[in-house]
Amino acid sequence: MTDRLMSKAATMEIPIHGNGDSRRLPEDDGLEQDLQQVMVSGPNLNETSIVSGGYGGTAEGIIPTSSIQGQSPGSLLPSHPPHGPLISPSPSAASRIARQAAAASSSSGPNLHQPHPNPALTGEEATRGIAVEKFDVVKKWGINTYKCTKQLLSERFGRGSRTVDLELETQIELLRDTKRKYECVLALARALTGHFYSLVQTQHALADAFSDLSQKSPELQEEFGYNAETQKLLCKNGETLLGAVNFFVSSINTLVNKTMEDTLMTVKHYETARLEYDAYRTDLEELNLGPRDAGTLCRLDVAQANFQAHRVKYEKLRGDVAVKLKFLEENKVKVMHKQLLLFHNAISAYFAGNQQQLEQSLKQFSVKLKSPGADKPSWLEEQ
């Protein structure tokens, strides 16, 4: 039966020629070589069966592969050439099958495992990654805001505890009170500057009026002249005092609106860090009081990490506030000592009519006065 099966496999394709002659062609040798190669290096047939006759064949045509194991591939080939007409394979069909096999092998080659990156997909993935990062930032901000708001309301209604540094809180309240009082002094000094500027301008106009009348009234020329000189002298001394007061106002403004404001901004950051620290501390305490299961332990580890991070931030800002308060106090004493001495000497010299002492006070504190027409360019520069 085995010889009959292999004979059928060997004579499956019979060459047919146009003139009806049947003879063995050179293609038969190639076909037998291909069949022999398939039998040698073909698939594993240990667990398969060879069915002869196609569908509907009887059980007699089924050959177990175990019956042909151990036989050499040469023994499966027919021992004698087949008889009868032979059919040779069509060259056109063979070439078409070869082209299809080549196309299939090229499509399933190394390029299948190493596809070229698509720029559109790469850009889409980058955009998706940015969107995910933004979503994570918004999510963290929302959770942090919720916890801080909950802690703030608990403190306002007396239900929650807060961390208090009594010494530092006292210094902060003193700074805020000092800033309010210095702002009041600054507002009054600005008002004095405005009123005194109006007085100087009035004196200057009055001096011009007296000088004009002294020229037009010969019988009162001497009296108008004295008053004009007096008003001009007062106007000059008033401009000197106005320069000293402006310097005083500028220094107070720098101290209040820059130095103190910078320290209070650090205080605000410190208070925000303190609120976040208390919020995460309360969250950690609530988790410690709850049941200990797998989910709670995971949340407890995350809460512990967040608590430690906010604790480090809180302690760092507390140290920064303490250092800034110390340097602010030293700077405030130094600046105010100089400015108060200048203000006192200038006011005393002006109302005492001591022009030399007034000018000496400005030189002592390096206050430079601007001449009335210093801001305006000359007519020669305008041309």
Short mmCIF file of all heavy atoms in Angstrom, two decimals, residues 279-319:
data_model
loop_
_atom_site.label_atom_id
_atom_site.label_comp_id
_atom_site.label_asym_id
_atom_site.label_seq_id
_atom_site.Cartn_x
_atom_site.Cartn_y
_atom_site.Cartn_z
N ALA A 279 -3.05 70.24 57.30
CA ALA A 279 -4.05 69.47 56.56
C ALA A 279 -3.58 68.02 56.37
O ALA A 279 -4.33 67.06 56.60
CB ALA A 279 -4.33 70.13 55.23
N TYR A 280 -2.34 67.84 55.93
CA TYR A 280 -1.83 66.49 55.71
C TYR A 280 -1.55 65.78 57.03
O TYR A 280 -1.61 64.54 57.09
CB TYR A 280 -0.59 66.54 54.83
CG TYR A 280 -0.90 66.77 53.38
CD1 TYR A 280 -0.92 68.05 52.84
CD2 TYR A 280 -1.21 65.70 52.54
CE1 TYR A 280 -1.22 68.27 51.50
CE2 TYR A 280 -1.51 65.90 51.21
CZ TYR A 280 -1.51 67.20 50.69
OH TYR A 280 -1.82 67.40 49.38
N ARG A 281 -1.24 66.54 58.08
CA ARG A 281 -1.08 65.92 59.40
C ARG A 281 -2.42 65.37 59.89
O ARG A 281 -2.49 64.24 60.41
CB ARG A 281 -0.54 66.96 60.39
CG ARG A 281 -0.42 66.45 61.82
CD ARG A 281 0.08 67.55 62.73
NE ARG A 281 -0.77 68.72 62.68
CZ ARG A 281 -1.91 68.86 63.34
NH1 ARG A 281 -2.36 67.88 64.09
NH2 ARG A 281 -2.61 69.98 63.25
N THR A 282 -3.49 66.14 59.72
CA THR A 282 -4.82 65.67 60.11
C THR A 282 -5.24 64.45 59.30
O THR A 282 -5.82 63.49 59.84
CB THR A 282 -5.84 66.79 59.93
OG1 THR A 282 -5.41 67.94 60.68
CG2 THR A 282 -7.21 66.37 60.38
N ASP A 283 -4.93 64.46 58.00
CA ASP A 283 -5.26 63.32 57.15
C ASP A 283 -4.52 62.07 57.61
O ASP A 283 -5.09 60.96 57.66
CB ASP A 283 -4.90 63.65 55.70
CG ASP A 283 -5.41 62.59 54.73
OD1 ASP A 283 -6.34 61.86 55.11
OD2 ASP A 283 -4.90 62.51 53.61
N LEU A 284 -3.25 62.22 57.98
CA LEU A 284 -2.47 61.08 58.46
C LEU A 284 -3.01 60.56 59.79
O LEU A 284 -3.09 59.34 60.01
CB LEU A 284 -1.01 61.49 58.60
CG LEU A 284 -0.04 60.40 59.07
CD1 LEU A 284 -0.02 59.24 58.09
CD2 LEU A 284 1.36 60.98 59.25
N GLU A 285 -3.41 61.45 60.67
CA GLU A 285 -3.96 61.02 61.95
C GLU A 285 -5.28 60.27 61.77
O GLU A 285 -5.53 59.28 62.46
CB GLU A 285 -4.17 62.25 62.85
CG GLU A 285 -2.88 62.89 63.31
CD GLU A 285 -3.12 64.17 64.10
OE1 GLU A 285 -4.31 64.58 64.19
OE2 GLU A 285 -2.15 64.75 64.63
N GLU A 286 -6.12 60.72 60.85
CA GLU A 286 -7.39 60.02 60.60
C GLU A 286 -7.14 58.62 60.05
O GLU A 286 -7.84 57.67 60.40
CB GLU A 286 -8.24 60.84 59.64
CG GLU A 286 -8.76 62.15 60.23
CD GLU A 286 -9.55 62.95 59.23
OE1 GLU A 286 -9.61 62.53 58.04
OE2 GLU A 286 -10.11 64.01 59.60
N LEU A 287 -6.15 58.48 59.15
CA LEU A 287 -5.85 57.15 58.61
C LEU A 287 -5.27 56.23 59.68
O LEU A 287 -5.51 55.02 59.68
CB LEU A 287 -4.87 57.28 57.44
CG LEU A 287 -5.44 57.88 56.15
CD1 LEU A 287 -4.34 58.04 55.11
CD2 LEU A 287 -6.56 57.01 55.60
N ASN A 288 -4.48 56.79 60.61
CA ASN A 288 -3.92 55.97 61.69
C ASN A 288 -5.00 55.45 62.63
O ASN A 288 -4.87 54.36 63.20
CB ASN A 288 -2.88 56.78 62.48
CG ASN A 288 -1.57 56.90 61.74
OD1 ASN A 288 -1.16 56.00 61.02
ND2 ASN A 288 -0.91 58.05 61.90
N LEU A 289 -6.08 56.20 62.78
CA LEU A 289 -7.16 55.77 63.65
C LEU A 289 -8.11 54.78 62.98
O LEU A 289 -8.91 54.14 63.66
CB LEU A 289 -7.97 56.99 64.13
CG LEU A 289 -7.20 57.99 65.01
CD1 LEU A 289 -8.08 59.18 65.33
CD2 LEU A 289 -6.71 57.31 66.29
N GLY A 290 -8.05 54.65 61.66
CA GLY A 290 -8.95 53.76 60.93
C GLY A 290 -8.47 52.33 60.92
O GLY A 290 -7.43 51.98 61.49
N PRO A 291 -9.23 51.45 60.26
CA PRO A 291 -8.85 50.03 60.18
C PRO A 291 -7.60 49.85 59.32
O PRO A 291 -7.32 50.67 58.43
CB PRO A 291 -10.07 49.36 59.55
CG PRO A 291 -10.75 50.46 58.79
CD PRO A 291 -10.52 51.71 59.56
N ARG A 292 -6.90 48.74 59.55
CA ARG A 292 -5.66 48.45 58.83
C ARG A 292 -5.90 47.30 57.86
O ARG A 292 -5.83 46.13 58.22
CB ARG A 292 -4.54 48.09 59.80
CG ARG A 292 -4.15 49.19 60.77
CD ARG A 292 -3.63 50.42 60.04
NE ARG A 292 -3.22 51.47 60.96
CZ ARG A 292 -2.00 51.60 61.44
NH1 ARG A 292 -1.07 50.73 61.12
NH2 ARG A 292 -1.71 52.58 62.27
N ASP A 293 -6.25 47.62 56.62
CA ASP A 293 -6.35 46.61 55.58
C ASP A 293 -5.35 46.95 54.49
O ASP A 293 -4.55 47.88 54.62
CB ASP A 293 -7.78 46.53 55.03
CG ASP A 293 -8.29 47.89 54.57
OD1 ASP A 293 -7.52 48.87 54.69
OD2 ASP A 293 -9.44 47.98 54.10
N ALA A 294 -5.36 46.18 53.40
CA ALA A 294 -4.37 46.38 52.34
C ALA A 294 -4.50 47.77 51.71
O ALA A 294 -3.51 48.48 51.50
CB ALA A 294 -4.53 45.29 51.27
N GLY A 295 -5.74 48.17 51.40
CA GLY A 295 -5.94 49.49 50.80
C GLY A 295 -5.56 50.61 51.74
O GLY A 295 -4.96 51.61 51.33
N THR A 296 -5.90 50.47 53.02
CA THR A 296 -5.58 51.51 53.99
C THR A 296 -4.08 51.62 54.20
O THR A 296 -3.55 52.73 54.36
CB THR A 296 -6.27 51.20 55.33
OG1 THR A 296 -7.68 51.05 55.11
CG2 THR A 296 -6.04 52.32 56.33
N LEU A 297 -3.35 50.52 54.18
CA LEU A 297 -1.90 50.57 54.34
C LEU A 297 -1.25 51.29 53.18
O LEU A 297 -0.30 52.06 53.37
CB LEU A 297 -1.35 49.14 54.46
CG LEU A 297 -1.69 48.39 55.76
CD1 LEU A 297 -1.14 46.97 55.71
CD2 LEU A 297 -1.14 49.14 56.97
N CYS A 298 -1.75 51.08 51.97
CA CYS A 298 -1.21 51.78 50.80
C CYS A 298 -1.47 53.28 50.92
O CYS A 298 -0.58 54.10 50.70
CB CYS A 298 -1.82 51.21 49.52
SG CYS A 298 -1.20 51.99 48.02
N ARG A 299 -2.69 53.65 51.29
CA ARG A 299 -3.00 55.06 51.48
C ARG A 299 -2.22 55.66 52.63
O ARG A 299 -1.83 56.83 52.61
CB ARG A 299 -4.50 55.21 51.73
CG ARG A 299 -5.38 54.87 50.54
CD ARG A 299 -6.85 54.90 50.91
NE ARG A 299 -7.22 56.19 51.47
CZ ARG A 299 -8.39 56.44 52.09
NH1 ARG A 299 -9.25 55.43 52.24
NH2 ARG A 299 -8.65 57.63 52.54
N LEU A 300 -1.94 54.87 53.64
CA LEU A 300 -1.17 55.36 54.79
C LEU A 300 0.27 55.67 54.39
O LEU A 300 0.84 56.68 54.84
CB LEU A 300 -1.19 54.30 55.90
CG LEU A 300 -0.62 54.72 57.26
CD1 LEU A 300 -1.40 55.89 57.83
CD2 LEU A 300 -0.64 53.55 58.22
N ASP A 301 0.84 54.85 53.54
CA ASP A 301 2.20 55.12 53.06
C ASP A 301 2.25 56.41 52.25
O ASP A 301 3.17 57.23 52.41
CB ASP A 301 2.71 53.95 52.23
CG ASP A 301 2.90 52.69 53.05
OD1 ASP A 301 3.04 52.83 54.29
OD2 ASP A 301 2.88 51.58 52.47
N VAL A 302 1.25 56.60 51.38
CA VAL A 302 1.21 57.83 50.58
C VAL A 302 1.02 59.05 51.46
O VAL A 302 1.67 60.10 51.28
CB VAL A 302 0.08 57.73 49.53
CG1 VAL A 302 -0.06 59.04 48.77
CG2 VAL A 302 0.36 56.59 48.56
N ALA A 303 0.13 58.95 52.46
CA ALA A 303 -0.12 60.07 53.37
C ALA A 303 1.12 60.38 54.19
O ALA A 303 1.42 61.56 54.46
CB ALA A 303 -1.30 59.74 54.28
N GLN A 304 1.86 59.36 54.59
CA GLN A 304 3.08 59.59 55.35
C GLN A 304 4.13 60.31 54.52
O GLN A 304 4.81 61.23 55.00
CB GLN A 304 3.64 58.24 55.83
CG GLN A 304 4.88 58.34 56.70
CD GLN A 304 4.58 58.91 58.08
OE1 GLN A 304 3.48 58.76 58.58
NE2 GLN A 304 5.56 59.59 58.65
N ALA A 305 4.25 59.93 53.25
CA ALA A 305 5.21 60.61 52.36
C ALA A 305 4.81 62.06 52.13
O ALA A 305 5.67 62.97 52.17
CB ALA A 305 5.28 59.86 51.02
N ASN A 306 3.52 62.33 51.90
CA ASN A 306 3.06 63.70 51.72
C ASN A 306 3.27 64.54 52.98
O ASN A 306 3.66 65.71 52.92
CB ASN A 306 1.59 63.72 51.32
CG ASN A 306 1.35 63.15 49.95
OD1 ASN A 306 2.22 63.24 49.08
ND2 ASN A 306 0.18 62.57 49.73
N PHE A 307 3.02 63.93 54.12
CA PHE A 307 3.20 64.64 55.39
C PHE A 307 4.67 65.02 55.59
O PHE A 307 4.97 66.16 56.00
CB PHE A 307 2.72 63.74 56.53
CG PHE A 307 3.10 64.25 57.90
CD1 PHE A 307 2.46 65.35 58.45
CD2 PHE A 307 4.11 63.63 58.62
CE1 PHE A 307 2.82 65.81 59.70
CE2 PHE A 307 4.47 64.09 59.87
CZ PHE A 307 3.82 65.19 60.42
N GLN A 308 5.59 64.12 55.30
CA GLN A 308 7.00 64.43 55.48
C GLN A 308 7.46 65.53 54.52
O GLN A 308 8.22 66.42 54.90
CB GLN A 308 7.85 63.16 55.25
CG GLN A 308 7.68 62.10 56.32
CD GLN A 308 8.17 62.55 57.69
OE1 GLN A 308 9.02 63.44 57.79
NE2 GLN A 308 7.62 61.96 58.74
N ALA A 309 6.96 65.49 53.27
CA ALA A 309 7.34 66.53 52.30
C ALA A 309 6.85 67.90 52.74
O ALA A 309 7.60 68.90 52.69
CB ALA A 309 6.78 66.17 50.93
N HIS A 310 5.60 68.01 53.20
CA HIS A 310 5.08 69.30 53.64
C HIS A 310 5.69 69.74 54.97
O HIS A 310 5.79 70.95 55.24
CB HIS A 310 3.55 69.22 53.76
CG HIS A 310 2.86 69.22 52.43
ND1 HIS A 310 2.64 68.06 51.72
CD2 HIS A 310 2.35 70.22 51.67
CE1 HIS A 310 2.02 68.35 50.59
NE2 HIS A 310 1.84 69.65 50.53
N ARG A 311 6.12 68.79 55.76
CA ARG A 311 6.79 69.15 57.01
C ARG A 311 8.14 69.80 56.71
O ARG A 311 8.50 70.82 57.35
CB ARG A 311 6.99 67.90 57.85
CG ARG A 311 7.67 68.16 59.19
CD ARG A 311 7.84 66.88 59.98
NE ARG A 311 8.49 67.12 61.25
CZ ARG A 311 8.77 66.18 62.15
NH1 ARG A 311 8.43 64.91 61.87
NH2 ARG A 311 9.37 66.48 63.27
N VAL A 312 8.89 69.25 55.77
CA VAL A 312 10.17 69.84 55.38
C VAL A 312 9.97 71.25 54.82
O VAL A 312 10.72 72.19 55.14
CB VAL A 312 10.88 68.93 54.36
CG1 VAL A 312 12.10 69.62 53.78
CG2 VAL A 312 11.28 67.61 55.01
N LYS A 313 8.95 71.41 53.97
CA LYS A 313 8.66 72.73 53.40
C LYS A 313 8.28 73.72 54.48
O LYS A 313 8.72 74.89 54.47
CB LYS A 313 7.53 72.58 52.37
CG LYS A 313 7.14 73.88 51.70
CD LYS A 313 6.01 73.65 50.71
CE LYS A 313 5.57 74.96 50.07
NZ LYS A 313 4.43 74.74 49.13
N TYR A 314 7.47 73.31 55.43
CA TYR A 314 7.03 74.19 56.52
C TYR A 314 8.21 74.63 57.38
O TYR A 314 8.35 75.82 57.71
CB TYR A 314 5.99 73.46 57.36
CG TYR A 314 5.74 74.08 58.71
CD1 TYR A 314 5.06 75.29 58.84
CD2 TYR A 314 6.20 73.47 59.87
CE1 TYR A 314 4.84 75.86 60.08
CE2 TYR A 314 5.97 74.03 61.11
CZ TYR A 314 5.29 75.22 61.21
OH TYR A 314 5.08 75.79 62.45
N GLU A 315 9.08 73.71 57.74
CA GLU A 315 10.23 74.06 58.58
C GLU A 315 11.20 74.97 57.85
O GLU A 315 11.80 75.88 58.45
CB GLU A 315 10.92 72.79 59.04
CG GLU A 315 10.09 71.96 60.01
CD GLU A 315 10.80 70.68 60.44
OE1 GLU A 315 11.85 70.37 59.83
OE2 GLU A 315 10.30 70.01 61.37
N LYS A 316 11.37 74.76 56.55
CA LYS A 316 12.27 75.63 55.77
C LYS A 316 11.73 77.07 55.72
O LYS A 316 12.48 78.03 55.94
CB LYS A 316 12.42 75.08 54.35
CG LYS A 316 13.30 75.93 53.45
CD LYS A 316 13.40 75.33 52.08
CE LYS A 316 14.28 76.19 51.17
NZ LYS A 316 13.78 77.56 51.02
N LEU A 317 10.44 77.22 55.45
CA LEU A 317 9.86 78.56 55.38
C LEU A 317 9.82 79.22 56.76
O LEU A 317 9.96 80.45 56.87
CB LEU A 317 8.46 78.49 54.78
CG LEU A 317 8.42 78.24 53.27
CD1 LEU A 317 6.99 78.03 52.80
CD2 LEU A 317 9.04 79.42 52.52
N ARG A 318 9.66 78.45 57.79
CA ARG A 318 9.69 79.03 59.13
C ARG A 318 11.07 79.60 59.43
O ARG A 318 11.19 80.71 60.00
CB ARG A 318 9.32 77.96 60.16
CG ARG A 318 9.28 78.50 61.59
CD ARG A 318 8.81 77.44 62.56
NE ARG A 318 9.70 76.29 62.58
CZ ARG A 318 9.51 75.22 63.34
NH1 ARG A 318 8.45 75.14 64.13
NH2 ARG A 318 10.36 74.22 63.30
N GLY A 319 12.12 78.90 59.05
CA GLY A 319 13.47 79.43 59.21
C GLY A 319 13.71 80.68 58.37
O GLY A 319 14.35 81.64 58.83
#
